[in-house]
Amino acid sequence: MAVLHSAPKYASNDGLLDTLGKALGDMLVESREEHGELLFTVKRESIEDALRLLRDEHEYQQLMEIAGADYPSRDERFEVVYMLLSLTRNHRVMVKVSTDEDAPVPTVTTLWPVAGWLEREVFDMYGVVFSGNPDLRRILTDYGFEGHPFRKDFPLTGYVELRYSEEEKRVVYEPVELAQDFRQFDFLSPWEGADYILPGDEKATGDAGAPGAPPIDDPKTTAKPEDTGAGEATDKKAAERESAGAPAEEDTNVEDSGAPAPTEDRPDEPARKGKSADTAKATEPKKGGDQ
């Protein structure tokens, strides 16, 4: 029995970019389609109204995720990305806002209560502040954690390290102490090579005129037979055999007697006794079709 469902298997983006862009109106900063998805950048102070419009009037009922992104070179280095899903249309859109370390983003917990947890995660990882969030605390890092780990300028080792103190019988925080200083790496491609001479490689700089480097621009030529050792004298010398006159090469006038006679002479084995038949008959099917 065929089951019919009102929702399509997949929804097309045709016409939605212009339709949703016109609906957002003055709240919209930029809209584009990228990698098969619709992206709308709206004004930071209008994010709550924009998401309410998409939820109530365009059937994007579900808030799937709130993510962050960090672009340190921008004036407003952070982006907050809201991912919406329409259950009736089976379609997704993304809405973005930009902010910096100080400007707060209005909360959307008034639209979706689950946004409280998602905003706390973005606050913890990036340091973005959400005004109106009733419980804006760290959610993934520990109490007293310094910094925000997903920022591009966050050090790989962090600011503090923790250990258990046997003297104080508790976990204590201390400044990070490295066992050795950081080494500086140039991260150049091994195929391109470095701009400096590596230790122990001073003679092989790759320049044709450098000391010890082969003259690759001046190939060696062998115009005379003397340079290669070839010639008539060499051919005559090669024809002479060092083994000439050896006893092995003398003609003894003895005919080849052929292969030696067998050294073992035994009679044929007697016929096998018993009920077993020979191989040919044993492998043939019996009469009547029985195997």
Side-chain angles (χ1 to χ4, degrees):
M1 178 179 179
V3 179
L4 300 180
H5 198 281
S6 59
K9 292 183 179 180
Y10 59 91
S12 174
N13 293 335
D14 295 342
L16 283 177
L17 188 67
D18 295 335
T19 301
L20 298 180
K22 292 179 181 179
L24 292 172
D26 296 337
M27 297 182 290
L28 183 66
V29 176
E30 180 189 6
S31 64
R32 68 181 187 276
E33 181 176 351
E34 187 174 343
H35 303 296
E37 297 181 340
L38 300 184
L39 284 76
F40 300 93
T41 303
V42 301
K43 299 178 181 178
R44 182 175 57 252
E45 61 275 7
S46 303
I47 183 60
E48 183 181 3
D49 296 333
L51 295 184
R52 180 182 288 108
L53 176 70
L54 294 175
R55 185 195 67 176
D56 297 344
E57 298 185 14
H58 296 275
E59 301 180 0
Y60 289 93
Q61 304 95 342
Q62 194 163 353
L63 174 66
M64 301 299 297
E65 179 64 282
I66 300 178
D70 183 18
Y71 302 93
S73 59
R74 300 181 183 178
D75 294 335
E76 293 185 340
R77 60 182 294 182
F78 301 114
E79 278 189 353
V80 183
V81 186
Y82 302 83
M83 305 177 188
L84 306 181
L85 169 65
S86 173
L87 299 175
T88 53
R89 294 184 176 184
N90 193 17
H91 192 264
R92 298 173 185 264
V93 295
M94 290 194 295
V95 183
K96 296 183 179 182
V97 296
S98 299
T99 186
D100 54 22
E101 300 180 9
D102 301 322
V105 177
T107 183
V108 294
T109 53
T110 55
L111 304 176
W112 294 282
V114 70
W117 290 80
L118 302 176
E119 290 175 355
R120 285 177 61 181
E121 183 178 355
V122 176
F123 165 73
D124 193 1
M125 296 291 103
Y126 294 93
V128 176
V129 180
F130 293 88
S131 60
N133 188 303
D135 189 18
L136 193 62
R137 295 177 295 147
R138 290 185 179 267
I139 192 173
L140 298 177
T141 55
D142 198 2
Y143 298 105
F145 189 88
E146 297 183 17
H148 304 279
F150 279 7
R151 289 188 179 184
K152 297 294 179 63
D153 52 5
F154 185 79
L156 297 179
T157 57
Y159 296 100
V160 295
E161 59 185 2
L162 59 90
R163 65 175 179 86
Y164 180 78
S165 174
E166 189 65 32
E167 295 79 9
E168 302 183 26
K169 303 297 182 183
R170 66 181 182 89
V171 175
V172 296
Y173 289 85
E174 298 174 339
V176 174
E177 295 183 2
L178 300 178
Q180 64 180 12
D181 294 337
F182 278 118
R183 296 181 179 182
Q184 301 295 329
F185 298 93
D186 51 23
F187 298 105
L188 292 178
S189 170
W191 289 273
E192 297 175 358
D195 296 333
Y196 51 85
I197 301 176
L198 298 175
D201 200 26
E202 292 82 0
K203 294 183 179 181
T205 61
D207 296 332
I216 57 176
D217 295 334
D218 187 16
K220 182 179 179 180
T221 58
T222 56
K224 300 179 180 179
E226 293 81 5
D227 296 333
T228 61
E232 183 178 355
T234 303
D235 296 339
K236 182 178 181 181
K237 185 68 177 177
E240 298 178 358
R241 293 189 299 178
E242 297 293 337
S243 61
E249 294 192 358
E250 295 180 357
D251 189 5
T252 59
N253 297 323
V254 176
E255 296 182 359
D256 188 3
S257 59
T263 59
E264 181 180 1
D265 186 14
R266 61 182 181 179
D268 295 339
E269 295 182 359
R272 183 183 301 177
K273 297 180 180 180
K275 296 181 179 181
S276 60
D278 60 332
T279 305
K281 294 182 179 180
T283 57
E284 291 179 359
K286 296 180 180 181
K287 296 181 179 180
D290 297 333
Q291 299 293 332

